[in-house]
Amino acid sequence: FQTVASAPRSLDPAIRGTWTHSSSYSSPGYSMTSVRKCTLNADGTYRHTSETAGGTADVSADTGQSAATGIWSAKDGTLTLITADGTTLTFKYRLVDGSLVTYDAANKRTIWSRN
């Protein structure tokens, strides 16, 4: 009997490494920035972090950094992340001009830059 963590997985070497996605929003008097990083390790583990900060001239807020870890696999344009609590997340992906482009189940596109 093999556990999920020790079962053989396909690890697309083209997407191994650390990827960053950042977004920002600003309007008169208010701004917000979010930064997400995902490291896909050669051993099949991953670490995802995210942080959001923003505010006005009078008030600011910062979520602090949150992190998730687990295992990953990627084959034939499908990236699968299994979180430490066993949740499975699946994304379609492709590499475009050195960026990793992922699509979630709702077909929302996210563009990641390699660090």
Side-chain angles (χ1 to χ4, degrees):
F1 179 74
Q2 290 183 322
T3 64
V4 172
S6 64
R9 296 184 313 278
S10 297
L11 304 174
D12 182 347
I15 66 169
R16 290 180 193 159
T18 299
W19 298 90
T20 300
H21 170 75
S22 60
S23 60
S24 60
Y25 170 82
S26 68
S27 66
Y30 177 79
S31 64
M32 181 180 74
T33 299
S34 294
V35 177
R36 297 168 41 200
K37 286 190 179 191
C38 188
T39 301
L40 303 172
N41 297 305
D43 67 358
T45 60
Y46 79 89
R47 177 177 171 82
H48 178 273
T49 60
S50 64
E51 184 170 8
T52 301
T56 67
D58 300 320
V59 178
S60 65
D62 188 330
T63 62
Q65 190 177 81
S66 64
T69 59
I71 58 173
W72 70 279
S73 62
K75 182 178 180 183
D76 299 329
T78 300
L79 169 64
T80 302
L81 305 176
I82 301 176
T83 65
D85 70 3
T87 302
T88 300
L89 306 168
T90 304
F91 304 89
K92 293 294 184 187
Y93 76 91
R94 61 191 178 114
L95 291 170
V96 179
D97 297 328
S99 295
L100 176 65
V101 181
T102 59
Y103 301 87
D104 66 13
N107 211 30
K108 179 183 175 197
R109 180 181 69 176
T110 302
I111 300 172
W112 302 81
S113 301
R114 189 181 291 275
N115 288 25

